[in-house]
């Protein structure tokens, strides 16, 4: 069993979306996630937090993926949390805790994604396995 085949909860994800290799795919993912999360009775605040986490992780994955490969987004719904996971073909990145706490230049166009994800999540893990990057965020219900 590979890391990509392991699940954070019993059973498969409540939903998954495969994103194409361009940022336009994020709009489709957000629409589907909004529909699916809303159907489970999550509060608008929780849905907004999960959408922001998925958008930031998805954008990072699309921008960093190699060979214009697709990006896999998986979501599990727990009793008090939503687990959002994004997987792509890509090289390892700096996931040291200090990296997330660094000051981001207010004029820079990037660098805020993981800071935002960590602020909205109770836990963020990053794994690298067989040339794939997997980022998992646990978003508490609001």
């Amino acid at each position: 069993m590979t890391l990509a085949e392991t699940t954070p909860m019993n059973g498969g994800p409540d939903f998954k979306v495969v994103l194409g290799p361009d940022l336009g795919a994020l709009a489709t993912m957000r629409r589907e996630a909004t529909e699916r999360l809303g159907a489970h009775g999550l509060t608008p605040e929780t849905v907004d937090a999960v959408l922001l986490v998925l958008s930031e992780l998805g954008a990072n994955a699309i921008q960093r993926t190699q060979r214009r490969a697709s990006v896999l987004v998986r979501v599990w719904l727990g009793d008090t949390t939503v687990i959002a996971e994004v997987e792509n073909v890509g090289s390892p990145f700096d996931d040291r805790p200090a990296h997330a706490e660094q000051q981001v230049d207010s004029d820079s166009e990037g660098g805020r994604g993981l800071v935002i994800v960590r602020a909205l999540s109770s836990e963020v893990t990053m794994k690298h396995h067989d040339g794939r990057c997997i980022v998992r965020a646990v978003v508490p219900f609001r």
Side-chain angles (χ1 to χ4, degrees), residues 82-129:
V82 175
I83 297 176
E85 184 176 87
V86 176
E87 178 178 343
N88 70 304
V89 175
S91 58
F93 49 90
D94 186 357
D95 63 351
R96 293 174 295 168
H99 178 71
E101 306 303 324
Q102 73 184 9
Q103 293 293 325
V104 178
D105 183 351
S106 62
D107 293 330
S108 72
E109 289 189 26
R112 294 175 188 83
L114 285 177
V115 174
I116 292 169
V117 169
R118 282 195 168 108
L120 293 171
S121 304
S122 60
E123 179 181 354
V124 178
T125 59
M126 299 172 201
K127 306 274 188 214
H128 311 287
H129 183 74

Side-chain angles (χ1 to χ4, degrees), residues 18-26 58-59 61-71:
V18 177
L19 303 178
D22 63 84
L23 292 174
L26 292 172
I62 289 169
Q63 290 169 345
R64 293 174 187 259
T65 200
Q66 298 171 352
R67 302 183 306 268
R68 295 195 44 84
S70 59
V71 171

Side-chain angles (χ1 to χ4, degrees), residues 23-74:
L23 292 174
L26 292 172
T28 302
M29 182 268 307
R30 282 191 292 267
R31 279 192 299 276
E32 183 165 342
T34 299
E35 188 176 299
R36 297 283 188 96
L37 294 169
H40 281 70
L42 300 181
T43 65
E45 294 82 8
T46 300
V47 172
D48 287 347
V50 173
L51 288 176
L52 186 52
V53 166
L54 288 173
S55 295
E56 291 296 336
L57 293 180
N60 284 351
I62 289 169
Q63 290 169 345
R64 293 174 187 259
T65 200
Q66 298 171 352
R67 302 183 306 268
R68 295 195 44 84
S70 59
V71 171
L72 178 60
V73 176
R74 293 181 286 252

